[in-house]
Amino acid sequence: MWIFSRRGFLLAGPLAVAGMALAPRLQFPALASEPGLTPPQTEGPFYPDSLPDDRDNDLLRIADEEGHAKGESLELAGTLTDPEGQPFADCLLEIWQADAAGRYHHSEDRAEGARDPAFQGYGTTRTDSEGRYSFRTIRPVPYGSRTPHIHFKVHHPDGQVLTTQMYVADEQLNESDWLYNRLSPEEQALVTVSLQPFEEDEEAAWTGHFPIVLPRRA
Ligand SMILES: [Fe+2]
């Protein structure tokens, strides 16, 4: 597993995703927006219909294969907490997104263009004891009418699942994206990340921080 630090990504413990129970394709309206909570968004049609063998949190490389994903690298880190900032430890996070050509690893994605076989397209990780998580992926790109985004599925400690999408600040298509604009300005702020040039790691072009806030229930 890769853990984000100011110096980049550090190898931090065994891969813990093999054999885990993955992502029921459910949404729970009970998590619908309350002030300060990360708002849910639709799962969309491209949650992987077959999960890759390599499901770690480095989407730029696929285990035992040559090559490196096309696109601009992104080191994305964040936290999973309740509204008081108390962390949720050891929670499963899944992400999936289109490759640099705007293609998903999904049999129903019939857009034109070749998929990038070196992009993992889907990854998982677990939060550490302080609720932190990290992924190494590509800066999301637009496809069709959609503004750049990364899909998230967060497995809540009480068993519920939050499905949402992370957006990138200052992307021109944010103004017209129909899903993004279903959110209030306050909700948009909670799922919009300002990406910064990352100069400490030669491989990374961008870094971003996406805090996710879930309710804490008894
Ligand atoms: Fe999408």
Side-chain angles (χ1 to χ4, degrees):
M1 181 182 300
W2 293 96
I3 297 294
F4 178 80
S5 77
R6 288 290 298 164
R7 295 177 188 168
F9 280 77
L10 304 173
L11 193 60
L15 188 67
V17 296
M20 65 191 175
L22 281 170
R25 300 184 67 180
L26 298 173
Q27 280 188 273
F28 289 84
L31 283 178
S33 301
E34 299 170 33
L37 299 180
T38 303
Q41 287 241 280
T42 180
E43 177 175 300
F46 297 130
Y47 180 88
D49 49 358
S50 64
L51 296 176
D53 291 336
D54 185 359
R55 305 170 188 173
D56 72 356
N57 64 341
D58 183 355
L59 282 66
L60 298 178
R61 294 180 186 279
I62 297 175
D64 301 324
E65 292 189 23
E66 296 291 324
H68 185 282
K70 296 184 177 70
E72 298 179 21
S73 303
L74 167 63
E75 293 191 352
L76 179 64
T79 51
L80 180 62
T81 69
D82 69 11
E84 280 69 51
Q86 295 302 308
F88 290 120
D90 196 31
C91 294
L92 173 67
L93 278 74
E94 303 172 85
I95 66 169
W96 66 101
Q97 66 182 102
D99 66 20
R103 302 292 311 277
Y104 282 90
H105 288 291
H106 192 287
S107 61
E108 296 299 319
D109 181 1
R110 307 199 189 284
E112 294 185 1
R115 290 190 177 94
D116 178 3
F119 182 53
Q120 195 169 287
Y122 168 90
T124 65
T125 192
R126 301 192 87 92
T127 55
D128 68 10
S129 60
E130 297 180 51
R132 297 176 300 187
Y133 71 88
S134 62
F135 287 98
R136 192 174 216 181
T137 185
I138 60 169
R139 179 176 178 139
V141 301
Y143 61 86
S145 61
R146 292 299 324 275
T147 197
H149 61 277
I150 298 176
H151 296 267
F152 272 74
K153 197 183 288 277
V154 180
H155 295 256
H156 189 280
D158 69 6
Q160 297 189 65
V161 179
L162 171 69
T163 303
T164 193
Q165 299 182 28
M166 187 209 91
Y167 297 87
V168 177
D170 302 322
E171 287 284 350
Q172 191 171 3
L173 283 173
N174 288 351
E175 296 175 14
S176 58
D177 186 276
W178 66 280
L179 270 173
Y180 188 66
N181 287 287
R182 291 181 67 177
L183 299 169
S184 69
E186 294 76 21
E187 291 171 327
Q188 288 178 349
L190 293 167
V191 291
T192 305
V193 173
S194 178
L195 301 185
Q196 304 297 325
F198 196 128
E199 298 171 354
E200 297 180 48
D201 183 330
E202 290 180 357
E203 273 198 75
W206 299 96
T207 184
H209 188 265
F210 179 35
I212 300 172
V213 182
L214 299 178
R216 185 178 294 278
R217 296 180 173 170

